[in-house]
Amino acid sequence: MQAQAEKKLLLQVENLKQYFPVKSDSLFKPKSYVKAVDDVSFHLFEGETLSIVGESGCGKSTTGRAILRLDEPTDGKVYYSGQNILDLNKKEMRKLRGDLQVIFQDPFASLNPRQTVKQILNEAMAIQEVVPKPKRMERMLELLGYVGLPPEALDRYPHEFSGGQRQRIGIARALAVNPKLIICDEAVSALDVSIQAQILNLLKKLQNQFQLTFLFISHDLSVVRHISDRVMVMYLGKVVEIAEKKALFDSPLHPYTKALLSSIPVPDPELKRERVILKGDVPSPINPPSGCRFHTRCPFATEKCNNEEPALRKLGENHFVSCHYADELAK
Amino acid sequence: MNAENRPILEVKGLKTHFHTKRGVSRAVDGIDFTLRKGETLGIVGESGCGKSMTSLSILRLIPSPPGKIAGGQILFKGKDLVSLSEDEMRKIRGNEISMIFQEPMTSLNPVIPVGEQIAEALRLHQKMSKKEARDKAVEMLKLVGIPSPEKRAKQEPFQLSGGMRQRVMIAMALACTPEVLIADEPTTALDVTIQAQILELIKDLQTKLGMGVIMITHDLGVVAETCDTVAVMYAGNIVEHAPTNKIFSDPRHPYTQGLIASLPKIHEDQDELKTIEGSVPSPYNMPLGCRFASRCPFKQPICHERQPELAAQPDGVKVRCWMYTSQWTEFQQQEAVK
């Protein structure tokens, strides 16, 4: 959204790995792991929106949680303004959480049902010590104004609000501590389309107003197209493609991205398009396929894909793809 | 859709109400539609609009109490389902009219092999022997595209993936070759690549078997790709009923227009999405006039006073809105004079 030259790096993720141990059948068998996120690297510029898309189990939410250290990552580095946040101790991390906020899918599960909106917002500000006590009331009213809720909302409980309004409370809470980066984990997925549109507009407005950076995790590609500057596609714990939004939607390079884009039902009965329907299901992440993880469902797979794991390589400006044959398929 | 295709399901003035402590909730409040052989009718709307309650009413699966079909008729091949006894209804349910639910894990029995669950329906409705039913179950699993069906038939639901479970549900629903299939959000819980497979499968089987399909969904993309006609529901009413291409190219009702405008587009960039202001009225306290009036950009005083009828336009599109009535200009003039 901003001029090319003055892009500042906000967050850099290097070789992030998140393995979860699986109970093995026998004591003596080697332990197996779900490799939910397996060697993922990317960066995030200040003020931009990067989306992570993929199907369930691809590791998109796990990536978001690992960055915030909500689950402790197995390996890797996450640099935020120059320091590796995985090295921070609890106290330092808590301080940093003011900069890094998150909005979850289900606002009902992430808001305390026994707290009024006032208590919810107050608690956030108290923990981060962002606003001195006497000024908090004023700040709370200001926050409600930003997210489009009436002042009366302060004394009400989460259950008294509709889904869209609850999501607004979640956004207000995230904003309360003056964050720089907000991770939106399926933040609009549970909402009806007309409400979803309201929340998407609100997020965009707030981004401009406060120069926020978004890491937007979603499975809905139309929403992603609307909100992002860049898009990262994941499959079974790996990054398969990262590109500027326009490049990714107009000329996707990875066969998986192509299939994903062509499977979305489009609300336009006139539109006739070529459809790539993938065969089969996503394989289990416990024993992912060898070589390229997508080769079991890929229409172009060869022997090489079975044996050799493709690296993420640059093809075009800001366009990275991990496929052995991406350049040939593009022709 | 052929002209000679006769209607197999006619819903007339259906009302489903729930009597609760808070009062009467009018979940479905007087809806009419017709389904023909081989037709796919989409019912769309946002949460709480009554689309699922409509489908449950057709199969008489409304939990009662508190729910009750308070009025109207559901004519299936001329028979009124509302007045049938539970025994007679059971012969139709799963046999002549089947349903696929959103979450296969909660609608399959978790401790019985899936093949046996399909066979049960066949033995019950088609009076097949154990062996025949088992063979037919495997055949059905094959039909819905499950690899190594003999092996899968002996497995329990938890051993299958989400997409495969949904295929089992479809196999079960289609085992008795029903004339009407009701699919209630059949792909909402699935990933897009699997969703594409399942929608393709439903379409494919429909052409093979010539069923009428009612596709209930909140996803207008799914509607555009699968349905012949669409009924848009809002707060327990049908507000517009039209051929699918007309709904998208020329939406009439302000709600339909708002709904379509609020979708993020995958093939173009927009700075801001259009929204519909306000929220749906409570089902316990429906307004007197048009239910959309409080959110409607074109509203006139009449809209708050009297509810419009679902009326056919010259081109056959049915819409429930005062704007499309002959009195509309009159209302506007009256307002201008005031």
Side-chain angles (χ1 to χ4, degrees):
Chain A
M1 289 277 163
Q2 52 199 173
Q4 203 76 11
E6 50 190 331
K7 270 186 185 171
K8 243 177 81 190
L9 213 55
L10 184 77
L11 186 83
Q12 192 159 8
V13 176
E14 281 178 11
N15 310 93
L16 188 69
K17 286 181 189 159
Q18 180 67 278
Y19 296 172
F20 297 107
V22 191
K23 245 195 209 153
S24 68
D25 305 338
S26 145
L27 188 61
F28 304 105
K29 269 193 193 160
K31 230 179 184 177
S32 49
Y33 292 91
V34 173
K35 299 183 175 179
V37 176
D38 200 4
D39 206 357
V40 163
S41 305
F42 63 93
H43 53 266
L44 204 56
F45 293 114
E46 222 163 75
E48 78 166 347
T49 303
L50 173 71
S51 291
I52 309 183
V53 294
E55 298 180 279
S56 27
C58 74
K60 53 189 192 301
S61 289
T62 312
T63 306
R65 294 180 62 89
I67 292 170
L68 292 171
R69 289 177 67 186
L70 296 177
D71 302 315
E72 212 53 56
T74 313
D75 196 17
K77 294 188 173 80
V78 178
Y79 291 102
Y80 174 76
S81 56
Q83 57 179 343
N84 183 0
I85 61 176
L86 302 185
D87 291 340
L88 298 181
N89 64 27
K90 260 198 167 141
K91 207 172 153 200
E92 293 166 318
M93 193 60 210
R94 170 168 285 186
K95 212 169 156 205
L96 194 70
R97 283 191 207 280
D99 279 4
L100 311 173
Q101 282 292 303
V102 58
I103 304 168
F104 293 103
Q105 168 169 8
D106 181 356
F108 205 49
S110 53
L111 298 173
N112 185 341
R114 302 259 187 139
Q115 284 187 330
T116 59
V117 173
K118 191 170 167 181
Q119 287 167 322
I120 290 170
L121 296 177
N122 209 356
E123 191 175 59
M125 288 189 274
I127 290 173
Q128 290 297 337
E129 298 166 346
V130 278
V131 185
K133 249 187 187 162
K135 292 223 171 125
R136 279 192 200 149
M137 194 60 199
E138 195 184 320
R139 172 71 175 155
M140 280 192 260
L141 290 172
E142 189 183 43
L143 285 167
L144 289 182
Y146 291 145
V147 299
L149 286 173
E152 305 87 83
L154 277 185
D155 293 317
R156 292 173 31 203
Y157 289 89
H159 76 264
E160 298 176 65
F161 296 92
S162 67
Q165 286 173 318
R166 268 182 232 149
Q167 204 55 295
R168 287 174 195 268
I169 300 171
I171 296 172
R173 179 177 61 179
L175 283 179
V177 297
N178 304 319
K180 297 219 170 58
L181 170 68
I182 299 184
I183 298 184
C184 306
D185 191 355
E186 301 277 11
V188 298
S189 307
L191 306 174
D192 279 320
V193 278
S194 65
I195 309 298
Q196 172 180 296
Q198 293 173 5
I199 299 294
L200 286 174
N201 284 343
L202 175 66
L203 287 174
K204 268 199 160 179
K205 187 193 93 182
L206 294 172
Q207 179 168 38
N208 283 335
Q209 202 170 349
F210 302 108
Q211 285 81 47
L212 297 170
T213 308
F214 286 144
L215 183 63
F216 197 88
I217 298 166
S218 177
H219 70 281
D220 186 331
L221 286 145
S222 334
V223 168
V224 164
R225 162 120 209 192
H226 180 71
I227 198 137
S228 334
D229 299 311
R230 287 188 306 134
V231 182
M232 171 165 125
V233 183
M234 286 183 73
Y235 185 78
L236 273 181
K238 292 274 185 193
V239 176
V240 299
E241 191 164 355
I242 309 183
E244 305 260 327
K245 165 177 75 177
K246 202 167 166 15
L248 190 107
F249 279 89
D250 294 349
S251 46
L253 291 173
H254 199 284
Y256 177 64
T257 314
K258 285 182 195 169
L260 199 61
L261 287 174
S262 83
S263 346
I264 318 161
V266 175
D268 180 0
E270 307 293 317
L271 194 79
K272 294 274 172 280
R273 22 170 215 161
E274 206 182 322
R275 184 165 247 185
V276 193
I277 291 191
L278 290 178
K279 298 238 159 51
D281 292 317
V282 182
S284 155
I286 298 179
N287 276 314
S290 61
C292 172
R293 293 193 177 178
F294 183 57
H295 86 262
T296 51
R297 301 172 83 194
C298 182
F300 309 106
T302 65
E303 200 48 41
K304 188 177 177 190
C305 305
N306 191 358
N307 300 326
E308 211 178 300
E309 193 178 322
L312 197 64
R313 62 202 171 104
K314 191 169 176 173
L315 275 181
E317 199 187 341
N318 296 327
H319 201 149
F320 296 86
V321 61
S322 63
C323 171
H324 292 305
Y325 300 105
D327 16 16
E328 283 133 78
L329 292 172
K331 279 167 204 162
Chain B
M1 237 204 322
N2 296 327
E4 73 252 30
N5 277 348
R6 58 199 163 81
I8 42 177
L9 189 73
E10 275 178 275
V11 173
K12 290 181 179 167
L14 178 68
K15 287 186 182 177
T16 305
H17 294 175
F18 286 81
H19 298 266
T20 66
K21 275 187 212 150
R22 286 175 61 193
V24 181
S25 162
R26 299 162 186 273
V28 178
D29 208 12
I31 66 164
D32 306 82
F33 64 83
T34 308
L35 180 75
R36 288 166 206 284
K37 207 169 180 293
E39 177 189 342
T40 303
L41 165 73
I43 301 184
V44 290
E46 299 182 285
S47 358
C49 71
K51 54 190 192 302
S52 288
M53 285 307 147
T54 304
S55 62
L56 291 177
S57 304
I58 295 171
L59 280 174
R60 297 254 313 270
L61 289 172
I62 297 287
S64 169
K68 193 171 182 294
I69 296 182
Q73 287 181 307
I74 302 166
L75 298 173
F76 174 64
K77 298 197 289 189
K79 243 184 302 179
D80 185 5
L81 298 185
V82 177
S83 58
L84 290 188
S85 71
E86 185 51 38
D87 270 354
E88 291 169 305
M89 197 58 219
R90 207 173 284 148
K91 287 191 186 120
I92 291 178
R93 204 184 283 144
N95 188 24
E96 294 175 272
I97 306 180
S98 289
M99 185 155 177
I100 309 170
F101 296 93
Q102 172 172 353
E103 203 354 281
M105 201 57 203
T106 54
S107 23
L108 291 171
N109 187 327
V111 294
I112 296 178
V114 293
E116 224 168 278
Q117 297 191 46
I118 301 173
E120 188 189 357
L122 289 162
R123 286 171 56 202
L124 202 68
H125 290 300
Q126 313 273 323
K127 309 273 179 284
M128 285 186 183
S129 72
K130 252 189 170 168
K131 169 100 184 43
E132 278 174 326
R134 209 180 298 141
D135 291 345
K136 173 85 182 184
V138 172
E139 194 187 309
M140 288 311 296
L141 289 176
K142 203 168 161 191
L143 181 75
V144 297
I146 290 185
S148 46
E150 291 86 5
K151 191 180 124 214
R152 291 294 184 184
K154 296 192 187 99
Q155 292 188 332
E156 272 130 43
F158 75 89
Q159 293 170 294
L160 309 178
S161 68
M164 259 206 266
R165 274 182 224 139
Q166 198 57 290
R167 283 169 193 267
V168 169
M169 282 290 293
I170 296 174
M172 195 184 295
L174 298 183
C176 301
T177 47
E179 292 178 56
V180 174
L181 175 70
I182 302 175
D184 188 356
E185 306 269 8
T187 57
T188 307
L190 305 176
D191 282 315
V192 277
T193 58
I194 310 297
Q195 164 169 292
Q197 294 172 1
I198 298 290
L199 290 180
E200 201 73 4
L201 174 71
I202 293 177
K203 255 200 275 187
D204 204 44
L205 294 174
Q206 181 185 23
T207 358
K208 269 189 207 150
L209 308 172
M211 310 172 281
V213 175
I214 299 179
M215 180 74 79
I216 292 166
T217 178
H218 69 282
D219 187 334
L220 287 160
V222 170
V223 166
E225 301 217 342
T226 55
C227 302
D228 301 309
T229 58
V230 187
V232 181
M233 282 189 76
Y234 185 81
N237 285 145
I238 290 179
V239 295
E240 185 164 350
H241 189 168
T244 306
N245 56 354
K246 287 232 169 92
I247 284 277
F248 289 96
S249 63
D250 181 18
R252 309 282 163 90
H253 197 281
Y255 176 64
T256 318
Q257 293 172 353
L259 203 59
I260 287 172
S262 63
L263 290 175
K265 313 271 181 296
I266 190 109
H267 293 293
E268 56 191 273
D269 291 324
Q270 304 147 286
D271 277 342
E272 201 179 345
L273 294 171
K274 297 239 166 47
T275 60
I276 306 175
E277 293 305 318
S279 52
V280 185
S282 155
Y284 294 99
N285 190 12
M286 285 294 181
L288 196 60
C290 171
R291 288 176 184 180
F292 187 63
S294 61
R295 305 173 78 185
C296 182
F298 310 108
K299 60 176 173 272
Q300 294 289 330
I302 180 72
C303 302
H304 289 295
E305 287 157 19
R306 272 164 53 206
Q307 200 182 15
E309 296 292 319
L310 184 69
Q313 301 279 294
D315 64 350
V317 172
K318 288 184 194 148
V319 57
R320 188 190 283 277
C321 178
W322 285 116
M323 271 207 299
Y324 301 94
T325 60
S326 50
Q327 298 112 300
W328 183 248
T329 36
E330 240 171 88
F331 296 141
Q332 280 180 312
Q333 276 159 7
Q334 278 171 14
E335 207 32 38
V337 171
K338 274 184 209 164

